[in-house]
Amino acid sequence: MGYRALELVIQSAQGLRNVHNAPQLRKMNPFALVSIRDNNNNLHSSEEQTPIDSEGNTNPKWNFHVTFNIDITRVKENHLALVVKIKSRRITGNRDVGEVRVLITELEGFGDANAVAERHVSRNVVNLDGTSQQGEGTLNFSYKFGNTVQHPPASTVNIGNSATPNVQRRPGTARRFMGKFKDELGAGLASVAATTAIGAVLTNFNPFGAESSAADPSGVDLSGAESTVADPSGVDLSGVDSSANYPVDDANDEEGY
């Protein structure tokens, strides 16, 4: 049957029901999830998220652009619908506000093989169980169909004015935190590596040069077998038997180290 693009603009919602506790004290932070689904709620596209309107409360505005490339035969056989789920962001867990579900075959212009002019629609928001109550609100969106083509277009989802070969979703709080954590961890590991390298250089650094004959503070020469540095006591340690004449003080030796 062919394929065609369904270009959408999820514009705004009005008169939504505030689903938070103490709604008179707490505003909503509404956003919407947009997708193509069948009667069993199975996904037949990606699910795209609008921005969060933290100021709109029960009358949010998004003006979110998204394009789905649809298979006309699959739309008819599976009774596919455009589904817009409205939620309100909360740190302790998002709250469901309601949804709008419209069969694609019922969108005006679907039966026309040629591109159609943009159309504006307002639909009632209903509960997730499909019932509607007074004060649930309305969703406003616009759409238009592209020309019918015989071969499937490139597998892209257009968001705004850009097209991406793989759908790029807005990262959630946890993903943004993990990304920041990995960046900071990498910087921390680099700092540790640099500190270790500097420590190694300082450990091997000899301020007396390669020919130095500096002695250990204990008086024992650590610089080479040919050293003639003597113990502060005046006893020469360069001879074979000199160690026998060196007075050992165990208590002082432990204290020095």
Side-chain angles (χ1 to χ4, degrees):
M1 291 288 295
Y3 304 82
R4 68 191 314 185
L6 172 59
E7 301 178 28
L8 298 158
V9 181
I10 309 301
Q11 297 168 333
S12 61
Q14 294 169 333
L16 297 177
R17 178 173 57 91
N18 191 322
V19 295
H20 294 306
N21 298 327
Q24 66 276 13
L25 300 176
R26 178 180 296 174
K27 294 196 305 182
M28 292 203 301
N29 297 290
F31 65 95
L33 299 173
V34 189
S35 61
I36 306 295
R37 294 175 179 266
D38 61 25
N39 286 340
N40 296 319
N41 214 35
N42 296 317
L43 269 173
H44 287 259
S45 71
S46 60
E47 186 171 64
E48 303 304 320
Q49 179 180 319
T50 70
I52 296 171
D53 186 352
S54 58
E55 300 297 330
N57 195 17
T58 57
N59 300 294
K61 295 180 180 179
W62 301 299
N63 291 318
F64 179 73
H65 296 246
V66 60
T67 298
F68 294 111
N69 291 311
I70 60 174
D71 182 330
I72 297 174
T73 300
R74 182 174 295 179
V75 165
K76 293 180 177 180
E77 290 178 348
N78 296 281
H79 305 287
L80 299 186
L82 167 66
V83 179
V84 181
K85 297 182 178 182
I86 301 176
K87 297 176 177 286
S88 181
R89 180 182 60 82
R90 290 184 65 201
I91 296 177
T92 56
N94 298 329
R95 287 286 184 91
D96 293 323
V97 178
E99 70 174 24
V100 169
R101 183 180 293 259
V102 184
L103 285 174
I104 295 176
T105 54
E106 293 181 355
L107 291 174
E108 187 179 354
F110 175 78
D112 189 341
N114 299 318
V116 298
E118 185 177 35
R119 289 170 166 80
H120 295 266
V121 179
S122 292
R123 291 295 178 100
N124 290 333
V125 177
V126 301
N127 291 331
L128 297 185
D129 61 6
T131 63
S132 178
Q133 299 177 3
Q134 185 177 4
E136 294 290 343
T138 58
L139 173 72
N140 307 304
F141 67 95
S142 65
Y143 72 92
K144 64 180 179 179
F145 288 104
N147 290 319
T148 299
V149 296
Q150 295 305 311
H151 301 285
S155 179
T156 61
V157 172
N158 300 325
I159 303 176
N161 296 320
S162 63
T164 54
N166 297 307
V167 176
Q168 297 181 354
R169 296 177 176 80
R170 179 188 178 94
T173 302
R175 292 173 62 189
R176 292 196 298 270
F177 172 78
M178 287 304 298
K180 183 178 180 181
F181 173 75
K182 288 190 286 186
D183 291 342
E184 293 181 352
L185 179 61
L189 291 175
S191 176
V192 170
T195 303
T196 302
I198 293 172
V201 170
L202 293 176
T203 300
N204 296 322
F205 177 64
N206 184 355
F208 300 102
E211 301 298 326
S212 172
S213 58
D216 181 83
S218 65
V220 179
D221 180 19
L222 303 178
S223 62
E226 300 299 324
S227 173
T228 59
V229 178
D231 180 79
S233 62
V235 179
D236 183 10
L237 302 180
S238 61
V240 176
D241 296 326
S242 62
S243 60
N245 298 320
Y246 183 72
V248 178
D249 186 339
D250 292 336
N252 292 336
D253 187 58
E254 292 178 0
E255 195 174 82
Y257 284 92

